[in-house]
Amino acid sequence: MKNLNLRIYPDDVLRKISKNIEKIDSNIINTVSQMDLLMNENKGIGLAAPQVGISKRFFITKDFQDEDSEKFLVFINPTIKEMYGTIESKEGCLSIPGYYDLIKRHEKILVSYLDQNGKNIEKEFSGMQSIVFQHEFDHLEGILFPDKLPLIRKEIFFKKINKEFKK
Ligand code: CO
């Protein structure tokens, strides 16, 4: 399997809508472990498949229940079933390196997904696990965190990154 590399804005793959995983095979398992390496190398806390050029519905995050562990979580074909409350979140993205801003997220979410063993899991997340889940989930829809900024701040943000990151 070839080495994966990080896709940086404005790579077109970051704007595509990802497709469901039909079958969890060894290819996916190898990919998620490579993604974990890449995430740690870049000091990230989550990484979605489109960020390594794969338009499929899966992502990984740190396990925020157990921050000290090397463990990471795998979310395949995730859905957000319920969302509650609003919270401000200062975010960055490995695909837009060096840029951060405050956006609004849901405080708590009820999600379902398959884990790497194909087991269907339903869980409620709050705090960082909820925020990172929403950020990575957006990647599967071709959405980047600055898309969530209010109009004027969004224009300023994109003006800056369009200047820095040229195609
Ligand atoms: Co991101």
Side-chain angles (χ1 to χ4, degrees):
M1 188 180 170
K2 68 174 169 94
N3 275 337
L4 299 174
N5 44 39
L6 206 51
R7 301 302 185 93
I8 304 296
Y9 178 88
D11 194 313
D12 290 334
V13 74
L14 296 171
R15 290 308 195 180
K16 287 194 180 139
I17 295 182
S18 295
K19 294 208 163 67
N20 264 326
I21 298 280
E22 306 290 341
K23 188 167 159 268
I24 301 167
D25 54 17
S26 60
N27 201 17
I28 301 283
I29 304 301
N30 288 334
T31 302
V32 294
S33 59
Q34 277 201 53
M35 284 167 67
D36 182 46
L37 291 176
L38 212 50
M39 177 172 77
N40 289 324
E41 265 172 35
N42 291 281
K43 303 193 182 347
I45 52 177
L47 188 64
Q51 295 182 277
V52 292
I54 302 170
S55 291
K56 296 223 170 111
R57 302 189 80 83
F58 65 98
F59 58 77
I60 63 170
T61 76
K62 293 261 174 211
D63 184 353
F64 292 92
Q65 305 286 93
D66 187 5
E67 282 181 65
D68 295 330
S69 87
E70 297 292 292
K71 231 170 66 190
F72 64 101
L73 300 175
V74 181
F75 300 94
I76 299 167
N77 297 344
T79 56
I80 301 178
K81 304 177 84 173
E82 312 257 3
M83 38 221 153
Y84 319 90
T86 309
I87 192 169
E88 282 223 300
S89 147
K90 188 178 184 189
E91 296 189 17
C93 181
L94 293 182
S95 295
I96 315 174
Y99 288 82
Y100 303 87
D101 215 327
L102 268 179
I103 59 162
K104 288 203 166 91
R105 294 281 183 197
H106 303 292
E107 191 175 2
K108 214 196 271 183
I109 51 175
L110 176 68
V111 303
S112 76
Y113 58 93
L114 303 175
D115 70 8
Q116 65 269 50
N117 303 311
K119 191 173 160 211
N120 194 38
I121 294 175
E122 195 172 278
K123 252 187 189 160
E124 200 171 75
F125 289 139
S126 57
M128 276 307 277
Q129 193 69 67
S130 167
I131 287 169
V132 176
F133 187 104
Q134 292 172 70
H135 178 114
E136 302 312 329
F137 183 86
D138 278 348
H139 276 298
L140 309 184
E141 297 292 319
I143 296 168
L144 300 170
F145 82 86
D147 296 340
K148 306 249 167 195
L149 288 166
L151 190 60
I152 306 284
R153 283 170 51 207
K154 182 161 117 182
E155 280 174 2
I156 293 167
F157 191 100
F158 277 102
K159 214 171 265 175
K160 278 193 282 189
I161 64 172
N162 285 333
K163 211 163 136 190
E164 168 145 6
F165 305 106
K166 296 247 164 67
K167 266 198 196 187

